C-alpha cells in the first residue's frame, strides 16, 4: 500500500504541474474537461511512464513479473504503461467502451501479450470498475470504432462494433481492493463504467510482451484506422509522422526491457 500511495502522489504532482512530466509521457484529459484545466480532477491518464523513476518500477515488481513470465517467457518487455484516473463529476464521458487491447499493438504472437492491472483504491461498480466478457479472449480481433455516445468519446477510445444483447448479458464486473491485480489477455473484451461517486478511482497498469516478439505491418488491417489516430497524436507531440507500415517503430521506442534479454537494438 505504501507503493500505491507513492504512485498516487506522483500522479497528483504531475497533474498539478508541480513536477515536470518525463519527456515521452502523455498527460491525458477527459473530453469534457475545460481547456487549460489541470489537476487531479482534470487529468485522467498518465501514459507511457517508462522514463519515470517512481512509476516504472511497478512494471518490474517481482510479485507481478513472476506471473507475467507465464505468458511472455523469460524475456519480458514492458510495452504500454498507464496510470488511469476516473475523477468524480466527469460523467458519462469517463466510460471506456468495451474493447480489445490487441487493436493497439503491432506485435505478435498474441498469446505472449498480457496486461497487469492493479487497483490503487477500492474499485467497484459505482466508481467504474473493470467489466469483462469471460471467454472472449478465445476469439479473434473484432472490428472497432468510436461508439455513438451523445456525451462524447475520449480520443482513441475505440469500442468493439456490433456486440449483441447476449454479449452484454455475459459481462462480469471486477470488484477489487487496493493492491488487487488482475492479469488478462489482449483479446479479452473489457471496458469500464463512469465514476458516480464523490471520490477518485485510480489504477496502474502495464502491458507486457515477449522481447522475442515479431512486429507487424498494420496497413490494410483492422488496426490501421487506430494507428493513424495514434500517429496523429505522436505528430502533434513531436512533429514527426510514421506511415502505417512503420507504426511499429513507435512501439519499439516506448518499450523497455523488464527481465531477460532483448534480441533487437533500440
Amino acid at each position: 500500500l505504501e507503493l500505491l500511495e507513492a504512485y498516487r502522489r506522483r500522479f497528483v504532482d504531475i497533474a498539478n504541474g508541480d513536477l515536470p512530466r518525463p519527456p515521452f509521457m502523455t498527460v491525458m484529459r477527459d473530453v469534457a474537461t475545460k481547456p487549460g484545466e489541470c489537476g487531479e480532477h482534470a487529468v485522467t491518464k498518465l501514459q507511457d511512464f517508462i522514463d519515470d523513476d517512481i512509476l516504472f518500477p511497478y512494471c518490474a515488481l517481482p510479485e507481478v513479473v513472476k506471473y507475467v513470465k507465464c505468458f511472455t517467457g523469460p524475456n519480458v518487455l514492458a510495452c504500454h504503461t498507464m496510470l488511469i484516473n476516473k475523477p468524480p463529476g466527469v460523467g458519462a464521458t469517463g466510460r471506456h467502451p468495451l474493447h480489445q487491447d490487441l487493436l493497439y499493438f503491432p506485435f505478435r504472437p498474441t498469446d505472449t501479450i498480457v496486461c497487469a492491472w492493479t487497483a490503487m483504491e477500492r474499485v467497484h461498480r459505482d466508481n467504474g470498475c473493470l467489466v469483462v466478457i469471460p471467454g472472449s479472449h478465445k476469439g479473434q480481433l473484432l472490428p472497432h470504432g468510436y461508439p455513438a455516445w451523445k456525451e462524447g468519446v475520449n480520443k482513441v477510445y475505440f469500442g468493439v462494433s456490433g456486440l449483441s444483447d447476449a454479449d452484454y448479458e455475459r459481462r462480469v464486473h471486477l470488484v477489487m481492493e487496493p493492491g488487487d491485480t488482475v492479469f488478462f489477455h489482449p483479446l479479452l473484451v473489457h471496458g469500464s463504467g463512469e465514476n458516480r461517486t464523490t471520490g477518485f478511482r485510480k489504477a496502474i497498469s502495464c502491458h507486457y510482451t515477449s522481447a522475442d516478439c515479431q512486429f507487424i505491418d498494420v496497413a490494410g488491417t483492422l488496426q490501421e484506422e487506430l494507428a493513424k489516430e495514434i500517429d496523429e497524436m505522436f505528430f502533434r507531440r513531436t512533429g514527426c509522422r510514421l506511415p502505417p507500415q512503420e507504426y511499429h517503430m513507435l512501439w519499439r521506442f516506448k518499450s523497455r526491457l523488464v527481465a531477460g534479454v532483448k534480441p533487437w537494438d533500440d
Side-chain angles (χ1 to χ4, degrees):
L1 294 181
E2 290 181 5
L3 287 176
L4 298 182
E5 176 59 19
Y7 304 153
R8 188 199 67 81
R9 289 198 304 269
R10 190 67 155 194
F11 176 89
V12 172
D13 287 343
I14 293 175
N16 287 339
D18 296 332
L19 287 175
R21 61 171 175 80
F24 199 66
M25 179 186 287
T26 298
V27 178
M28 303 181 73
R29 294 168 176 79
D30 190 88
V31 67
T33 303
K34 297 177 182 177
E37 190 174 356
C38 61
E40 193 176 9
H41 280 83
V43 174
T44 56
K45 188 183 293 184
L46 301 182
Q47 187 164 284
D48 299 323
F49 52 70
I50 60 169
D51 293 325
D52 190 278
D53 58 2
I54 297 297
L55 299 178
F56 185 77
Y58 163 80
C59 304
L61 288 173
E63 52 265 58
V64 172
V65 174
K66 71 176 181 180
Y67 293 108
V68 168
K69 287 181 176 180
C70 298
F71 301 87
T72 64
N75 301 324
V76 184
L77 201 65
C79 54
H80 187 48
T81 52
M82 298 182 293
L83 196 160
I84 308 157
N85 178 46
K86 284 184 183 281
V90 168
T93 57
R95 296 175 290 173
H96 199 142
L98 292 171
H99 64 284
Q100 296 167 300
D101 290 336
L102 188 65
L103 185 74
Y104 297 80
F105 302 147
F107 38 83
R108 301 293 187 273
T110 301
D111 288 340
T112 62
I113 304 170
V114 65
C115 177
W117 196 100
T118 299
M120 294 173 57
E121 291 142 344
R122 187 169 191 272
V123 175
H124 49 85
R125 293 188 67 165
D126 288 341
N127 68 2
C129 66
L130 283 176
V131 57
V132 306
I133 299 181
S136 55
H137 68 288
K138 298 177 182 178
Q140 303 295 319
L141 182 62
L142 301 170
H144 286 64
Y146 282 115
W149 291 347
K150 63 180 181 180
E151 300 89 354
V153 186
N154 283 301
K155 192 71 171 173
V156 300
Y157 274 32
F158 279 35
V160 175
S161 305
L163 288 175
S164 66
D165 291 341
D167 291 324
Y168 281 97
E169 290 173 0
R170 293 171 51 214
R171 290 176 301 168
V172 173
H173 294 80
L174 304 186
V175 176
M176 302 170 68
E177 299 297 329
D180 284 354
T181 300
V182 60
F183 298 85
F184 56 89
H185 191 276
L187 286 174
L188 182 74
V189 176
H190 67 288
S192 62
E194 67 178 280
N195 182 1
R196 297 185 175 91
T197 72
T198 58
F200 295 91
R201 194 232 72 177
K202 292 186 182 65
I204 188 168
S205 75
C206 180
H207 282 85
Y208 302 86
T209 190
S210 169
D212 304 300
C213 68
Q214 299 173 344
F215 289 89
I216 65 168
D217 179 0
V218 301
T221 72
L222 291 174
Q223 297 178 248
E224 182 175 7
E225 182 180 354
L226 179 61
K228 289 178 179 177
E229 293 215 18
I230 292 176
D231 176 60
E232 184 63 30
M233 295 171 64
F234 181 69
F235 173 72
R236 290 200 299 269
R237 283 283 307 278
T238 66
C240 300
R241 287 194 184 279
L242 293 172
Q245 63 269 26
E246 295 182 7
Y247 173 61
H248 63 89
M249 296 301 297
L250 173 62
W251 291 87
R252 286 175 181 262
F253 181 70
K254 61 192 259 178
S255 298
R256 182 172 168 183
L257 192 69
V258 168
V261 296
K262 183 169 60 175
W264 41 270
D265 295 327
D266 292 320

